[in-house]
């Protein structure tokens, strides 16, 4: 009898092991670079943020100074710095959403801005970097004091990200200017303009993505900033304090264009668009290499429908779909902004007060956006 039990236990163990091996996908790497292979067909499983986000916080930005939408956002330990439009300057709030000051107003005088293209913070030095489309990068203190230009760099900088006290990751408006000192593609520099390492050349299957505003395909890490190129396959490069190296290569169908990406402790998420079949979301497991793909919205519904709030199904607090635009690992958070129109639409579809977050109750069509802060369970270094 005991022998039969032992045999049964062994068979059960082997069965569970076989099932586990069947469900486990091996991580595909080439020279240490993860290869993310987007499936050709929809997955049965749903893309999900379960287990990655602990809770959601809603922060209305008070209406002392009004603006319609947020172009870019920088977060420090104590403040939100909001870039509302290329000509609106910078709005500073505390972390509860209370307005503090407005600075870098549009104009040509010293301390005034001219088409800001991005915004980033240096927490250690309490500095704010404001690249401009047509002029040098401006530097401000956290008190809104103008500190001058970064005049050691040409006026072609698109985005500045401080990696260490003496290292800046710089992203220019142009690329492939290997021998032209007046242009910067991408690279690591000291604050005084000394080159550490640059990457201006990309392979034929890659090209540097750069728009008229801050390049959208950025992802901020604790010790690096990641930039995605585009092409036949998409490569995500990690810009660390002394190196620029490929981290992921995303292989996809030609019709699928990657619009943005972000990551959590265990996954990388992609937003993809097809002109033929609509909006997709993909989820890549860093541990197993498994990729889930969902065709979220068909092209017929997507076309011309600007009232839809897109994102991954929200199973955290079951309010709005989730698609963060900003990532701040040092704060262990992801963020996005909801416009007054987004919130008004949600309230009209959920007449029961119990379904509406308290932060939405006083929002009307003239209100400033509400910041949504997603607190991560345990962000990897």
């Amino acid at each position: 009898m005991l022998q039969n039990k032992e045999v049964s236990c062994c068979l059960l163990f082997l069965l569970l092991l076989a099932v586990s091996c069947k469900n486990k996908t091996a991580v595909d790497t080439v020279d240490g670079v993860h290869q993310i292979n987007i499936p050709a067909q929809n997955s049965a499983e749903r893309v999900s943020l379960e287990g990655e986000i602990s809770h959601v916080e809603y922060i209305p930005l008070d209406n002392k100074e009004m603006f319609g939408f947020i172009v870019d956002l920088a977060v420090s330990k104590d403040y939100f710095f909001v870039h509302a439009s290329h000509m609106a300057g910078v709005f500073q709030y505390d972390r509860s959403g209370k307005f503090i000051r407005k600075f870098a107003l549009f104009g040509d005088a010293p301390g005034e801005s001219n088409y800001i293209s991005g915004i980033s913070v240096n927490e250690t030095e309490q500095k704010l970097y404001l690249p401009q489309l047509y002029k040098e990068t401006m530097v401000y203190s956290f008190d809104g004091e103008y500190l001058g230009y970064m005049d050691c760099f040409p006026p072609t900088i698109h985005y500045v990200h401080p990696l260490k006290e003496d290292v800046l990751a710089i992203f220019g408006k142009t690329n492939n200017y290997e021998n032209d000192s007046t242009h910067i593609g991408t690279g690591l520099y000291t604050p005084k303009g000394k080159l550490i390492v640059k990457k201006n050349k990309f392979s034929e299957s890659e090209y540097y993505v750069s728009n008229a505003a801050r390049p959208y395909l950025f992802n901020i890490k604790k010790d690096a900033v990641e930039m995605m190129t585009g092409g036949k396959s998409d490569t995500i490069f990690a810009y660390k304090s002394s190196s620029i190296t490929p981290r992921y290569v995303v292989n996809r169908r030609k019709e699928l264009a990657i619009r943005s990406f972000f990551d959590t402790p265990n996954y990388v998420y992609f937003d993809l668009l097809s002109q033929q079949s609509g909006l997709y979301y993909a989820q890549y497991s860093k541990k197993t290499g498994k990729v889930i793909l969902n065709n979220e919205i068909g092209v017929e519904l997507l076309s011309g429908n600007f009232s839809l709030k897109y994102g991954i199904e929200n199973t955290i607090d079951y309010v709005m779909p989730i698609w963060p635009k900003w990532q701040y690992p040092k704060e262990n958070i992801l963020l996005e902004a909801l416009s007054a129109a987004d919130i008004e639409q949600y309230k009209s579809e959920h007449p029961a007060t119990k379904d509406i977050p308290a932060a939405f109750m006083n929002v009307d069509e003239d209100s400033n956006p509400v910041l949504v802060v997603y607190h991560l369970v345990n962000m990897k270094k």
Side-chain angles (χ1 to χ4, degrees):
M1 186 72 174
L2 183 61
Q3 188 177 8
N4 289 339
K5 284 185 177 180
E6 289 175 348
V7 171
S8 297
C9 287
C10 286
L11 289 173
L12 179 59
F13 172 77
L14 291 171
L15 178 62
L16 291 172
L17 183 63
V19 171
S20 174
C21 290
K22 183 179 179 181
N23 291 334
K24 188 174 181 180
T25 306
V27 174
D28 182 10
T29 62
V30 175
D31 296 329
V33 180
H34 285 231
Q35 306 292 304
I36 303 177
N37 301 307
I38 303 296
Q41 304 295 329
N42 270 345
S43 308
E45 294 178 69
R46 298 289 298 165
V47 170
S48 172
L49 282 158
E50 288 268 5
E52 302 300 297
I53 295 173
S54 62
H55 63 286
V56 184
E57 181 183 10
Y58 298 95
I59 303 176
L61 299 178
D62 76 34
N63 297 325
K64 191 170 183 179
E65 288 281 344
M66 304 296 295
F67 55 88
F69 63 97
I70 296 176
V71 175
D72 204 0
L73 174 74
V75 181
S76 74
K77 183 172 66 72
D78 298 316
Y79 305 113
F80 295 120
F81 296 96
V82 174
H83 167 209
S85 82
H86 298 305
M87 296 184 289
V90 175
F91 299 80
Q92 183 177 359
Y93 295 83
D94 67 18
R95 289 291 291 267
S96 71
K98 181 180 178 181
F99 177 77
I100 297 173
R101 64 177 63 87
K102 181 179 176 182
F103 57 92
L105 303 181
F106 183 77
D108 291 317
E112 294 181 332
S113 64
N114 197 321
Y115 295 97
I116 297 168
S117 64
I119 182 170
S120 58
V121 296
N122 185 329
E123 186 83 57
T124 304
E125 297 186 9
Q126 302 275 290
K127 290 180 179 178
L128 193 70
Y129 299 109
L130 302 177
Q132 303 176 92
L133 290 181
Y134 308 111
K135 297 174 72 175
E136 290 84 356
T137 296
M138 303 172 72
V139 184
Y140 283 83
S141 73
F142 280 13
D143 295 324
E145 178 188 359
Y146 174 58
L147 302 177
Y149 288 116
M150 295 178 67
D151 53 11
C152 55
F153 295 100
T156 55
I157 294 176
H158 206 116
Y159 184 67
V160 178
H161 181 76
L163 292 169
K164 290 171 58 179
E165 185 177 342
D166 57 347
V167 180
L168 301 173
I170 302 286
F171 299 88
K173 301 171 191 170
T174 53
N175 70 308
N176 291 337
Y177 287 90
E178 193 72 29
N179 301 312
D180 186 346
S181 62
T182 64
H183 290 83
I184 292 179
T186 72
L188 305 175
Y189 293 80
T190 68
K192 293 185 177 180
K194 181 181 178 182
L195 174 68
I196 299 170
V197 62
K198 67 179 175 180
K199 182 170 179 58
N200 282 6
K201 294 289 185 181
F202 296 87
S203 72
E204 290 183 2
S205 65
E206 306 163 352
Y207 59 84
Y208 171 36
V209 177
S210 180
N211 304 319
R214 168 182 166 179
Y216 195 67
L217 303 185
F218 269 143
N219 187 15
I220 296 172
K221 310 295 293 179
K222 279 189 175 179
D223 61 347
V225 59
E226 295 176 339
M227 184 201 78
M228 175 175 276
T229 62
K232 296 174 184 176
S233 63
D234 296 89
T235 305
I236 297 175
F237 287 90
Y239 288 67
K240 295 191 174 183
S241 59
S242 60
S243 65
I244 301 171
T245 55
R247 188 174 182 205
Y248 301 106
V249 170
V250 185
N251 299 302
R252 56 184 171 78
R253 303 199 309 264
K254 185 177 180 181
E255 67 166 283
L256 289 176
I258 296 176
R259 302 196 306 171
S260 61
F261 74 101
F262 69 92
D263 75 346
T264 62
N266 298 301
Y267 300 98
V268 185
Y269 295 87
F270 297 93
D271 167 5
L272 308 102
L273 182 65
S274 164
Q275 297 296 328
Q276 288 77 42
S277 48
L279 184 65
Y280 290 79
Y281 293 121
Q283 176 181 355
Y284 170 74
S285 170
K286 300 175 187 178
K287 294 181 179 179
T288 69
K290 183 177 181 179
V291 181
I292 298 172
L293 180 70
N294 297 159
N295 187 188
E296 196 66 22
I297 302 173
V299 69
E300 68 285 345
L301 183 61
L302 194 64
S303 179
N305 194 334
F306 301 106
S307 64
L308 288 175
K309 166 66 176 73
Y310 307 131
I312 297 169
E313 182 182 2
N314 184 345
T315 56
I316 315 303
D317 64 359
Y318 301 93
V319 183
M320 296 260 195
I322 298 172
W323 194 265
K325 185 175 179 181
W326 300 282
Q327 182 157 347
Y328 282 88
K330 289 181 181 178
E331 298 293 315
N332 210 32
I333 56 174
L334 304 168
L335 301 99
E336 66 175 312
L338 298 176
S339 68
D342 290 331
I343 294 169
E344 287 284 275
Q345 176 83 11
Y346 179 84
K347 288 162 70 173
S348 70
E349 295 170 355
H350 299 80
T353 304
K354 64 180 180 61
D355 297 328
I356 301 175
F360 290 6
M361 297 304 292
N362 295 323
V363 173
D364 59 32
E365 61 184 8
D366 296 320
S367 296
N368 278 337
V370 172
L371 295 181
V372 188
V373 183
Y374 303 107
H375 294 264
L376 294 170
V377 171
N378 180 27
M379 192 66 186
K380 269 190 176 181
K381 289 186 179 181

